Amino acid sequence: MDFSFSEEQQMLLDTTQRFIAKEYGFEKRQGVRRQPDGFSREIWQGFADLGLLAINVPEEHGGLGGGPLETMLVMSALGAGLVLEPYLSSAVLASRAVSALGTAQQCAALLPALAAGEQIAVLAHDEPATRYDWSAIETRAWPLGEGYVLTGHKSVLPHGTSADLLLVTTRLAAAGQQGPLAVFAVPRDTPGLRRLPYTTVDGIPACELWLDQVFVPAAAMLGERSAVDVADGAEKALGLVLDAGLAAICAEAVGALDKLLAATIQYAKDRKQFGSPIAKFQALQHRMADMVLHIEQARSMAYLAAVRCEDEDAALRSAAMSAAKVVIGQACRFVGQQAVQLHGGMGVTDELDVSHFFKRLMAIELQFGSADHHLEKYAAQLA
């Protein structure tokens, strides 16, 4: 299979890599993660100026009309830079959710601001008891007058405290019955929203989000469809959005893995033991060769995920995404652990970027379903 990129795609990758190399060095990142928002608004605007935030926005709404391959290239560059900004949350998941579910009027109102970096939106979807079952949503939307009342609890919401807009996934409810899935666009200052902010192990600002009798107008539901019409379309669209996010995070992992391998090889060349660089020790060469094999397998599966994440055949798409997450999850764990061990005790210090790559890869292995979860899922599909 030909994995070469078009001229435009290669330019996108080169431009993003140059920006990260110039504006997002490790010392700069250390300062960024201590800012109140946990990321840099200046860098975010820089992404907007480069057009990176517009990739997943249709051209008719001020975007570039790109797709999973363009997203893959950007995410790999961001992964190499350990970027803390909410690119996955806002520029991928939220932008694609609005594009897929919103009416023409809603897209016109929301997408240009997302593409220009004027607003940040996040998809409030994960819940404490779902355990990787994305359809097991307990948050409810109860009809009341000319709108809905939302109740529920969303868990580990990346950048939830900084988001201007929350795209809340719910089940429409009536007379105590669970209904079809719906997504509501809820402004951050809506009464009844309660947040508990914290920082995840990989340095990403996140929060728990409670919706305590949050009233929103009917127009806040993306698509403005009735409970009768919303079921199949919203379920299918959200599945595609989440698979696009999974493909994006696989690409981010590959970028981080490449950078971690390069740092480990350089350290092995510089570190001397018994008067010789440890890179000359055959046992350590074998370890680094195994790291290379894992990364190349992960790269191929990231390409597969990008190609298959929009496949209309749900079963084929699901199998491809699970296969990619298994291989990439295993690579995240193996390469991360080997890098830390080869660096010794300094590999877990906060002053060295290796420890931050290790923690980010550990988090990626768990996001959108762990490797173990997807292995079981893939095996069940084969059975």
Side-chain angles (χ1 to χ4, degrees):
M1 183 177 291
D2 183 11
F3 288 135
S4 60
F5 305 124
S6 68
E7 183 178 349
E8 292 79 9
Q9 290 171 338
Q10 189 62 52
M11 288 178 60
L12 174 64
L13 176 61
D14 294 342
T15 299
T16 309
Q17 289 176 332
R18 283 197 299 269
F19 181 84
I20 296 299
K22 180 181 179 181
E23 304 291 344
Y24 216 86
F26 180 65
E27 293 302 322
K28 174 70 175 289
R29 180 187 184 273
Q30 291 287 72
V32 164
R33 71 188 183 101
R34 298 187 182 97
Q35 294 186 14
D37 287 334
F39 68 93
S40 168
R41 298 277 178 171
E42 179 184 354
I43 295 295
W44 187 249
Q45 191 55 53
F47 289 165
D49 294 340
L50 290 176
L52 304 185
L53 306 185
I55 287 176
N56 289 286
V57 175
E59 293 180 8
E60 59 267 28
H61 298 298
L64 299 179
L69 292 178
E70 289 75 18
T71 301
M72 177 188 72
L73 297 174
V74 173
M75 287 296 294
S76 66
L78 301 187
L82 280 175
V83 167
L84 297 167
E85 281 63 31
Y87 191 87
L88 176 67
S89 300
S90 185
V92 180
L93 291 172
S95 295
R96 292 182 73 93
V98 173
S99 299
L101 293 165
T103 64
Q105 292 79 7
Q106 289 170 330
C107 288
L110 299 175
L111 290 177
L114 295 179
E118 298 168 359
Q119 278 198 329
I120 294 173
V122 299
L123 183 66
H125 177 68
D126 290 336
E127 299 184 4
T130 55
R131 192 58 184 173
Y132 303 139
D133 182 0
W134 68 265
S135 62
I137 299 171
E138 296 296 331
T139 301
R140 294 291 181 263
W142 302 87
L144 178 65
E146 297 299 318
Y148 292 87
V149 173
L150 310 183
T151 60
H153 175 196
K154 297 297 183 179
S155 183
V156 196
L157 181 58
H159 301 94
T161 56
S162 304
D164 303 296
L165 190 69
L166 303 170
L167 303 182
V168 181
T169 56
T170 72
R171 292 284 179 186
L172 298 180
Q177 299 296 316
Q178 173 178 304
L181 183 145
V183 181
F184 290 85
V186 183
R188 63 170 295 147
D189 56 355
T190 302
L193 294 177
R194 182 163 56 92
R195 299 175 180 85
L196 175 63
Y198 52 84
T199 302
T200 59
V201 66
D202 53 336
I204 302 295
C207 73
E208 298 293 297
L209 174 68
W210 287 269
L211 300 102
D212 300 326
Q213 304 294 318
V214 175
F215 179 79
V216 293
M221 183 167 69
L222 295 184
E224 296 183 324
R225 291 162 290 193
S226 67
V228 175
D229 300 328
V230 73
D232 291 338
E235 293 271 0
K236 179 180 178 180
L238 184 59
L240 287 165
V241 168
L242 294 175
D243 280 343
L246 194 159
I249 207 171
C250 286
E252 179 188 353
V254 171
L257 290 167
D258 280 337
K259 196 69 178 290
L260 189 54
L261 175 65
T264 303
I265 291 174
Q266 186 60 51
Y267 175 77
K269 291 178 179 179
D270 296 339
R271 175 75 166 90
K272 291 185 177 181
Q273 187 69 32
F274 307 114
S276 177
I278 63 174
K280 291 186 176 181
F281 298 164
Q282 191 174 55
L284 301 189
Q285 291 176 357
H286 289 169
R287 285 198 186 192
M288 288 183 279
D290 287 340
M291 292 169 71
V292 172
L293 290 177
H294 275 276
I295 293 173
E296 290 308 311
Q297 290 174 339
R299 193 186 322 279
S300 295
M301 296 308 283
Y303 291 159
L304 176 68
V307 170
R308 291 294 190 191
C309 70
E310 291 186 322
D311 202 309
E312 288 296 323
D313 187 329
L316 181 62
R317 185 178 77 244
S318 178
M321 304 311 292
S322 288
K325 194 60 165 63
V326 169
V327 173
I328 289 172
Q330 292 171 343
C332 288
R333 182 167 297 185
F334 179 84
V335 174
Q337 290 175 351
Q338 293 299 318
V340 167
Q341 288 189 1
L342 288 168
H343 277 82
M346 64 183 294
V348 293
T349 60
D350 192 66
E351 293 77 17
L352 193 68
D353 61 354
V354 169
S355 69
H356 297 270
F357 278 110
F358 173 72
K359 288 183 282 189
R360 180 57 189 150
L361 290 171
M362 180 172 62
I364 287 175
E365 194 270 329
L366 297 175
Q367 282 185 271
F368 296 97
S370 67
D372 289 342
H373 165 78
H374 279 285
L375 184 59
E376 292 178 2
K377 184 179 177 182
Y378 188 80
Q381 289 177 305
L382 291 181

